[in-house]
Every structure is written in structure tokens, then in C-alpha cells.
Amino acid sequence: MTKTFTLDGKVIPFEEGETIMEAAAAAGVYIPHLCHHPEFKPHGSCKLCTVNIGGRLGAACTNRAAEGMKVESETEALNADRRALTQMLFVEGNHICPSCEKSGNCQLQAVAYHLGMLTPHFTHFYPARDVDASHPDVLLERNRCILCELCVRASRDVDGKNVFGIGGRGIKARLIVNSASGRLADTDMSVTDRAAEVCPTGAIIRKRHGFTVPIGQRLYDHHDIAEVPVAGMERPKK
Amino acid sequence: MPAQDVCDLPGIVARWHRDPANLVQILREVQESCGTIPSDTLDQLAKLLDVPRVRIESTASFYAFFHAESHGAYEILFSDNIIDRMAGKEALKQYFCERLWLEPRKLSEDGLVYVDDTADIGLADQAPAMLVNGYAIPSLDKARLDLVAELIRARKPLAEWPPMLFEVPDNLCKPGPLTGEAFVPGAALKAALARGAEATLAEIDASNLRGRGGAGFKTATKWASCRKAEGEAHYVVCNADEGEPGTFKDRVLLASHADLVFEGMTVCARVIGARLGLLYLRGEYRNLLEKLKSVLARRREAGLLGQNILGEQGFDFDIEIHLGAGAYICGEESALIESLEGKPGKPRNRPPFPDRCGYRNQPTVVNNVETFACAAKIAERGGAWFAALGTPQSAGSKLISISGDCKRPGAYEYPFGVTVRQILIDCGAEDAHAVQVSGPSGTCISFREFDRRIAFEDLATAGAFMVFSRERDMFEVARNFTHFFAHESCGFCTPCRVGTSLLRNIMDKLAAGKGSAYDMNEMKHIMHVLRGTAHCGLGHTAANPVVQTMEKFPDAYEKRLKRLDFEPAFDLDGALQTARLITGRDDEWAHLADD
Ligand SMILES: Cc1cc2nc3c(=O)[nH]c(=O)nc-3n(C[C@H](O)[C@H](O)[C@H](O)COP(=O)(O)O)c2cc1C
Ligand code: SF4
Ligand code: SF4
Ligand code: FES
């Protein structure tokens, strides 16, 4: 007999060891998320996937599903918290959605749409962050980095290269690369690396690919991110 | 004094077994011998340890005490808890800087001195205090600073400074079962060995001992679970990070009762079957290192550590000391383990908890210093003796670190259940108005609540007790704590990384007289998000000081509110200043009306 739990009243089957996020995704149910990606080890840092697990709040991407568990996700209260977290990510960096080449394909932007975020609400930090255009094929735009560590995990666990890391701490945390000069060009990053594709925002961009699909014709221009139950550029449900 | 540029990297790396897990220790030694951790050192370390440079860099850039730029031959860090400020720290720092002709956060022109602030250094009973090249100097006044300035001008190596400068008295004002009774090293271990591991665990269980690090988890449950857990090795970790501002009771235990602590760790090792113990000593307690090492050496000689302890075949256990490097979050047990493994101190995802998957992913007991001291006493005198002290849910005694507006700051040991009022009488705090119990992450109580009791049933505490008199501005207290949390957030999760900085900025806005009721609501909103979504205890509690003082001392906030609706953080008229300079205009029309 398969085990199940309920998510917003819906019965979700799961296998022992699966997280709430994994089971929900397999059942085609979207839980907002940014730092999660099914191919990589759960991280649990963005906290957008915070759900109510039997009265206690926890991240759906790191908490395991358990038999008979009652999980709430699509509540107004939780979505309000998620909106606040998204707004925090927006004011922490420097985001220029209308002119960003990732517009329409950006998960941060798409989650903001999904949650009905209309303004950044909080006071902007306007941090001074370096743009690194040194690499021939890949652009690093740290102003749009949300520190989800997907590139860190992809480079370490899939590419076996350790090109990326997080330096500093607190609000000064920043994306660093594996070279003495601090420049991406001096790492062994290659445009074919998995790490070049996973970024949920416009922080890692492949050069000379911008606008190949015009803004307005991109994934999230036509689909709510909820129709793309697992992270990234997978095919929409319907 | 650091001998600049003579850094024997291969030697240091070899001393730490070329093990990347010891990276924080390696970086500490590099910093101690070179004064800095220059960029090319990171490359050399990466080669010597055979790990990517980016890993070294993320660790090196995480800890407050590591820096790549020179801080000169003498790095002076003033402790910046609110208690230090109340004791005149700001004025003294200014005095010191003027004497040496320097500016904070700027290396002096001769490359000799660097002055900055640091978070509370565990000397609140001897505030203001500071660190010189990592070594604490308490009870600062002009005379002591004059002496320090002279020594620096004469370029005297730190080793030749008068030892009295670094003397840190215990200020033990009220002894109890842990601090007041003589302890014969080995007494607890002998009793434990006679009883056997299983029965010793049963005594700990019967004692009802709960962890003294704040959360109050039942110690026997933790030990039993770790004992049962399968693994290649088991570890005992003593959490001596003591980063909570206003807390210094573990420092007193380590300074004068180290045998009790190490013996508690050894009893634990016996129960869970560990061969290695680690003491995670906060960097701020560097003064204690040599003394603690000599206690360990003495215990090895006495057969209380090492192989076949007290003649018991196969009972092998030893203790290593790891020094922290300036990061409050490393007190959180899973962040502490990450730090022990040479990584930035970021809390792990739990479960699994350390008792099943801790240091090097093996079953690990992490306990507070005082918990181990209690465990040793229980092993020696039995669980029933301990359970008879205190209250039903809080057995035993509690060490309290008292500081602030009182006549006799210092360490006090009470049975659990003592009232705040009683403590205030004992320490001489007649005009107390508020007490911050258990540090910024704890509870702020007003004079109306002084009959409350120190116990897990009421006011749980890790041990801090900061007293504020009627004259103190509780808004400034909360603002200082908000800066602390923003500085100490590890940056891992969104709500805390951003939320603590937003809180700090709003408190600064209020302090600048630009706040409104809108900002007060905003802080409550951020608190709500932090409580619900933050990854660890730091984020969960980071807004407590603001919200509790708002509730209990509303006047302190109201008098700062400029308007009730909204007030921008920036000064609109001030923003036009550059334009006025360029145009050479300063007439009435070049200014915005100030209402
Ligand atoms: C942000 C944070 C800081 C902490 N700092 C300390 C500390 O300095 N010392 C300590 O013993 N426990 C600290 N703790 C609690 C530890 O995580 C852990 O609960 C404790 O060491 C367990 O020991 P105990 O059971 O003996 O109390 C901290 C927890 C958090 C969330
Ligand atoms: S660069 Fe992209 S993938 Fe990497 S941490 Fe930043 S946002 Fe995440
Ligand atoms: S709550 Fe703060 S300290 Fe804890 S993990 Fe998140 S960022 Fe780090
Ligand atoms: S915390 Fe779960 S997706 Fe980011």
C-alpha cells in the first residue's frame, strides 16, 4: 500500500524518504520555490516553499513527507509570507526586470507574478555588486543573484568543478568564483557546464543568446509558474 | 605580537594533519603568525590541502576575525555590547584613538594600529573591554588605555606587556554546587566506571538534567539516542562558543572549573562510546587556551584521558580544543559542527540531528559547558541529589552572568526557581527598571514582572542577566541588539539575511528621528516573517528585542516618531545639497519646506 499525506486537502502519495516538495511535484502540485531544483540536493535557503506541516512551519523542500501528515500550502497567510520573502530578495539586489535579458524566463520574476507582488515594498539596499564579463561565453551579473547556490551545487556535484561558492556572511554574502583574480575567465568554467544553465534569475547568462526568443514570447509570459511544477524550464503541464 | 610575513604554512598545515576539516584552525594560526590572511595564502592552502580555493575563500571570508588586509601589528577591537556602551565604551574608544592619532576602521599611517568594534566578548561584568590581537583586556579606563597606548608606541611585543592587563577575575559572587565545592579530578569518572555506562546514563536520566545552552533539551535523552545510533565513530562536543551578549558564565567555569567540564565530557564519552572529544572555544576566549591545554595535559598524566582511562581496558578518550573566529552563529549546534569541519558556520538542515549525524556525519553529543559540569557532578553524587535541587521541571542550579546597572556584577549560582527580584537584591540593583534575561535572543522584562522566576517553566535562560536602571533608554538597548543580529546573521536564508538588516535600518531611521507608526508596523511584519520562515534560532529570535521593548516600553518609541503615517528614510532637502553647491544657490527657494 502506498503511503499518503494531504496537501491542502488533496491526497498526495509518496515514497519513504521523499520530501514534501518531491511528492507534490510528482503529483503535479506546485509549491512556490526558488532554491530548489529536482536534480540537486535540497538546500532550504530561499524559504519560499515554507508550508504549514501539522501546525508547524517548515520548508517543503527539506522536510520529509510522512504518513498521514496534514500540509497546508496555498493559504493567504503563507502566500503573504512568500510575497514578503520575494520582496526581500528584490530589495536585496538590483533587479531591472523590464530591461533584463532574462525577463519572461526568470523564476524570481515569475514567482513574483504568481504571488501577486505589485511593489518591492521594503526599502532598497542598492548594493554595489560587481558584474563579471571576463569570460568569453558566460556573463556573471551579481546584481541579480539571490544566493540560492544552485550554480554552486551544479558545478560541484554535476560538473565536478567547484567554480562557484558563497563568500562573506549576512547581508554581505556574495557569489565568489574559484580563481585568485576573482574573475570567471580565470576559472575552468565552460558554457556547456550544467552550472551555466541552472540559475533561476538573470545572474548567470550565456553570452550571445540574449533575446533569441523575444520578450513577450517566453515561458512565463504565457504560463504561470505554477503550471511548471518543478523548477526551471521544463515543459508546462498543459 | 605577530611576526609579520613569517608564516610557516606547510608547518601549520602539517600540525593539523593536512586535514581540510581543520581549516578554521589552520586559518587562525595563519592569522596569528602573519597578522592577515593574504590572497596568495588562500591559493597555497588550496594546494597544500588539495581542496578548491573557493572553499578556502568562503571560510576565510565568513569569520569576523579573519581579514585579508593588514590590521597592523596591533589590532584593537572594542567590545560593543550595550553594557560596554553604558560603561562609557564610546568615549574611551574616542579617547584612545585621539591618543594614538587614528581613526576607527583605518589602519594607522605607520601601519601599526587598527581600531574597530566587535560583538560582546564575554566580559560584561568587566565592561568596557577589548581584544588586542585576540587577547582580552577587561575593565578599561583612561589609565589602562594610556598604558596600552604607551606599549604600542614603544612597539612592545604583546608577550612583554604586563600580565596584569590580561587578568580576568571570576567575580564569583554567589557560589553553588558547581562553583563552590572542591572537586577532586577523577572522582566523577571513578563513580561512573564503578557504576557502568548504562547505570551512569540512568543517573543522568534520574537527575532530570536539561541542557544549559538555552533550549533546555533533556540531556539523558540526547545521550541515549547518540549511544544507540550506529556509526564508525562517536564524538563528544562541548559548546563553549558563549556568544550570547551578556553571558560569561561558561568563561568562569572554564577558567576555574575546567576539570569538572572535561570530566563531564569524559563521562559522556564513556556513556556513548566516543574516543574523541572537541571543545569549541570561542576565539574571544583565547586567553584561556594555554591554561586549558595544561589542564588537559595534567589529566592525561593522571590517566584521566588517553588510553585505558583509570585502568579500564579499551576506554580510550582524548579532547582537542578548537578555537572559533568571531561568529555568534557558531553557537548553534549544527553551525558549530560545520565550523569544526572547516566550513562557514551555517546551520544544517535538520533532521537528522547531531545525535545521529553530527561531526563528520557521525553520532555526536553537543552540550553546553555547564551541562557537562552538571553531568560530572551527577556522576559523582547521583541523580537524586541533583533532582532534589531546583523546581519540578528545572532540576539543579543555574549559573547566571549578571551585568549592567548593579553594584556587584559577576557570576551567581542559584537553584532554579529564584525570582528576578531576589537576584536584583543580591547583586545590588535597587533602581532596576528592566532586565534582559538570556541575552538579546531571550526575554526583556519590565519592573512589573520582577516576581517571575528563573526556570524552564517561566523564564528560561542560557545565563545572561543584564540590568537596566530607570535612566537607560530601552530603545537604544533594542537598537544595539538589532545591530548585533544583523551583523551576526550567517546569510544563509532569505528572511534573516535581509530581514535583520531591514530591522536594523528601521531602528536607525527611528533613532535619527525619522520614524513613523508605519515603521513600527513594518517591524512587526518583519518579525512575523522571521518567526515563521527563518532557518534557525537566530532568525526566529532576532526581532524579539524590538517587539518586546515596543510592547513594554512604548514611550521609548513614541517619543521618536516624527509622524504617524509615513516618513521617508532619506532627507529630501539634504539630497538637494549637491545641486545647491553646483549652482551656488542657497536661497529659500533652493530648499524644500521642512514641516
Ligand atoms: C543562534 C544560536 C546561538 C547559540 N549559542 C549557543 C552557545 O553559545 N552556547 C551553547 O551552549 N548553546 C548555544 N546555542 C544552543 C545550541 O544550539 C545547543 O542547543 C546547545 O549547545 C545544546 O547543549 P545543551 O543541551 O547542553 O544546552 C545556540 C543556539 C542558537 C540558535
Ligand atoms: S548566480 Fe544564480 S544560481 Fe548562482 S547563487 Fe546566484 S542566483 Fe543562484
Ligand atoms: S536564520 Fe539567520 S543565522 Fe539562521 S540560517 Fe538563516 S540566515 Fe543563518
Ligand atoms: S527553501 Fe525550499 S525551495 Fe528554497
Side-chain angles (χ1 to χ4, degrees), chain A residues 43-47 57 62 81 85 88-89 92 121-122 125 146-147 162 165-171 176 178-180, chain B residues 43 52-54 58 61-62 326-327 349 487-495 497 501 505 518 522 528 532-533 535:
Chain A
H43 192 56
S45 69
C46 77
K47 299 300 178 196
L57 298 185
T62 56
D81 288 353
L85 292 171
M88 285 183 180
L89 288 171
E92 183 192 23
H121 181 86
F122 299 110
F125 288 92
I146 56 168
L147 303 162
N162 288 293
I166 304 292
R169 79 168 184 220
I171 198 75
I176 55 173
N178 194 32
S179 66
Chain B
D43 286 310
R53 178 200 152 94
V54 76
S58 55
S61 60
F62 181 84
N349 285 308
H487 187 259
E488 298 301 328
S489 165
C490 84
F492 174 77
C493 68
T494 309
R497 186 179 67 238
S501 286
N505 292 353
Y518 175 88
E522 194 68 351
H528 168 83
T533 65
H535 185 64

Side-chain angles (χ1 to χ4, degrees), chain B residues 168-422:
Chain B
V168 175
D170 281 350
N171 290 337
L172 178 64
C173 301
K174 189 177 183 306
L178 295 180
T179 50
E181 296 171 11
F183 176 73
V184 182
L189 260 180
K190 276 184 197 134
L193 286 176
R195 236 186 244 120
E198 192 89 37
T200 301
L201 182 58
E203 287 300 322
I204 303 286
D205 190 26
S207 75
N208 275 326
L209 171 63
R210 295 170 68 166
R212 296 326 199 207
F217 195 73
K218 200 169 165 192
T219 305
T221 312
K222 198 185 268 187
W223 289 20
S225 149
C226 185
R227 176 181 159 85
K228 269 211 313 271
E230 276 171 37
E232 288 151 28
H234 287 60
Y235 296 98
V236 179
V237 171
C238 177
N239 186 344
D241 196 55
E242 192 156 70
E244 192 71 45
T247 318
F248 50 80
K249 49 107 187 164
D250 291 341
R251 183 199 80 219
V252 173
L253 281 175
L254 291 167
S256 303
H257 307 274
D259 268 302
L260 205 55
V261 179
F262 290 141
E263 192 135 333
M265 291 175 72
T266 315
V267 169
C268 177
R270 178 69 187 156
V271 170
I272 66 166
R275 296 164 63 91
L276 181 64
L278 299 151
L279 175 77
Y280 190 95
L281 183 68
R282 70 188 304 222
E284 290 82 348
Y285 291 171
R286 176 70 182 80
N287 302 31
L288 289 171
L289 182 65
E290 273 73 29
K291 196 171 161 192
L292 289 172
K293 278 187 175 166
S294 72
V295 174
L296 287 177
R298 180 166 47 64
R299 290 182 67 84
R300 272 179 214 118
E301 258 165 52
L304 301 171
L305 284 175
Q307 310 239 303
N308 305 325
I309 291 173
L310 286 175
E312 178 92 356
Q313 283 303 309
F315 180 21
D316 305 341
F317 179 69
D318 212 329
I319 296 174
E320 264 181 27
I321 303 177
H322 278 231
L323 268 178
Y328 163 71
I329 188 57
C330 289
E332 196 283 336
E333 58 184 10
S334 66
L336 181 142
I337 289 169
E338 289 283 295
S339 181
L340 283 175
E341 293 180 356
K343 296 178 240 165
K346 296 183 190 177
R348 292 177 175 177
N349 285 308
R350 284 145 302 159
F353 288 91
D355 52 2
R356 285 185 40 222
C357 182
Y359 181 60
R360 296 180 191 260
N361 295 329
Q362 300 302 318
T364 304
V365 160
V366 182
N367 274 138
N368 175 255
V369 173
E370 190 182 347
T371 312
F372 282 121
C374 293
K377 275 282 164 188
I378 293 162
E380 185 193 8
R381 301 187 55 173
W385 161 78
F386 192 83
L389 302 165
T391 71
Q393 283 180 52
S394 316
S397 65
K398 185 75 194 90
L399 259 175
I400 312 235
S401 331
I402 301 182
S403 65
D405 293 316
C406 64
K407 293 200 190 77
R408 293 173 293 279
Y412 290 66
E413 190 177 344
Y414 284 100
F416 266 116
V418 61
T419 62
V420 170
R421 195 176 304 284
Q422 183 62 49

Side-chain angles (χ1 to χ4, degrees), chain A residues 140 144-152 164 166 175 195 198-201 203-204:
Chain A
L140 215 57
R144 306 168 192 160
C145 174
I146 56 168
L147 303 162
C148 69
E149 295 194 35
L150 273 168
C151 58
V152 179
F164 299 101
I166 304 292
L175 188 72
V198 290
C199 184
T201 73
I204 299 179

Side-chain angles (χ1 to χ4, degrees), chain A residues 21 32-37 43-50 59-62:
Chain A
M21 177 75 81
H33 59 270
L34 283 170
C35 72
H36 176 72
H37 190 293
H43 192 56
S45 69
C46 77
K47 299 300 178 196
L48 244 74
C49 70
T50 302
C61 67
T62 56

Side-chain angles (χ1 to χ4, degrees), chain A residues 10-13 22-29:
Chain A
K10 203 174 154 192
V11 178
I12 309 279
E22 284 161 352
V29 178

